[in-house]
Amino acid sequence: MRSLTVLAAAALVMAVTVVPGAQAPTSAQSATSGKSAEGNAITFTKDVAPILQRSCQNCHRPDSNAPMSLITYEDARPYARSIKAKTASRLMPPWHIERNIGIQKFKDDPSLTEQEIATIAAWVDQGAQKGDMANMPPPRKFEDDDVWHIGKPDLIVEIPQPHVVPASGPDVWIDYIADSGLTEDRYVQAVETKPGPGARTVMHHLLTYLIQDVADNEKLVGQDDVRQQQTEMFLNEYAVGKNGDILPEGTGKLMKAGSKVRFNIHYHSNGKETADRSRVAVKFYPKGYVPKYHQISMQIASANSQLDIPAGAVSRNEGYYRFDKPVQITAIQAHMHNIGKRMCLEAILPTNTTLQLNCMGWDFNWHKVYNYADDVSPILPAGTVLHGTLWHDNTKANRANPDPRNWRGYGQRTIDEMGFAWITWSNLEETDYKAKVAERTKLRETN
């Protein structure tokens, strides 16, 4: 007789539902007729502006990180054909999850539906008309240049003093330690790390860690099962274009009164002297709320040791990681450098079956974290092996390749290469794992 765990693992393949990722369109256009639902020509004010507000303007606005603003018709009109091309190819907005493979529900998905892409294309093909200003939606409001992806934070911690990166020089790795200023113990619900204003171009990556003593009776479930130092715990990572980590209900990290934050920063010069004041933002659970599970975020399924990429070649490498306990994966992210192209992740279950998680394209300018919606985040049994497949393109056809004449291999510099998965998960107790699988199975059967 098969054990309940094996039966639950078999049910899991059906319980993790692959759901179409389309979001509701902002207005009901017909892609085939090139007309709005009312039969009128598609215009900027009525049909296109709502799409840009939802998915584009967070970056495409004055003093933000995009090269042009898309706030008004006058802003957008000169770039109409470029907007059509970039959205049709799904280069913009930057969301590289492949839509025909794996799980498609995420918490912070800015990608466009097929209907929205068709609306933009029809608008351009019809002459990119402005339309009636009475149909223009109210302007989207932004707090400032540094709107946090996680929402308004409860706490922001900065490095103690600005760091000046010279106009030229070698890559620099440096640690700063800052007091958190926290006066009471709180549990982290979301976290985001980023460079100071104007310093993105000199920042390769930034890792933040909590320095604090956590007593055994304070530790959340799963906190003893990660490769952490005795008094230091990983908090968050920033790389160019990255968003934040949004923890699911019941999962958190303890941040104690008097804790310190270590900033581990990799700078590279960009031809202009630049000052940075890196910071980390935290949102807390309500006071008194104690989550059960500890969030883990680690670089796993690494193919770094295999990277041997000749000039002019495309390479395929693989990495593996075994989960010794039941887990719930809450977020995924690829990590490569300039010549990275694609990563696929699958779970190899103890039943010798596989569960496809996702495939995603890669762009070094957008280190995106993909936070799963809570009702589809993968729940996997103990003994599951995470299998990552990564592709690097060292040919001249890769426009991001700075020099296709040179061999590439693993290294820490920006001009070197890497290949692994950033995975965020929680280790589950066996009883909770079985209950979560049963809940998913019931949900699938009733839908």
Side-chain angles (χ1 to χ4, degrees), residues 183-197:
T183 58
E184 58 182 337
D185 294 359
R186 297 294 298 271
Y187 287 96
V188 176
Q189 196 274 329
V191 58
E192 182 177 354
T193 306
K194 62 169 62 176

Side-chain angles (χ1 to χ4, degrees), residues 246 248 251 295 328-332 370-373 377-378 424-426:
I246 304 171
T251 301
Q295 186 217 48
Q328 181 169 7
I329 295 178
T330 56
I332 60 173
Y370 302 102
N371 293 287
Y372 287 117
S377 58
T424 303
W425 79 92
S426 294

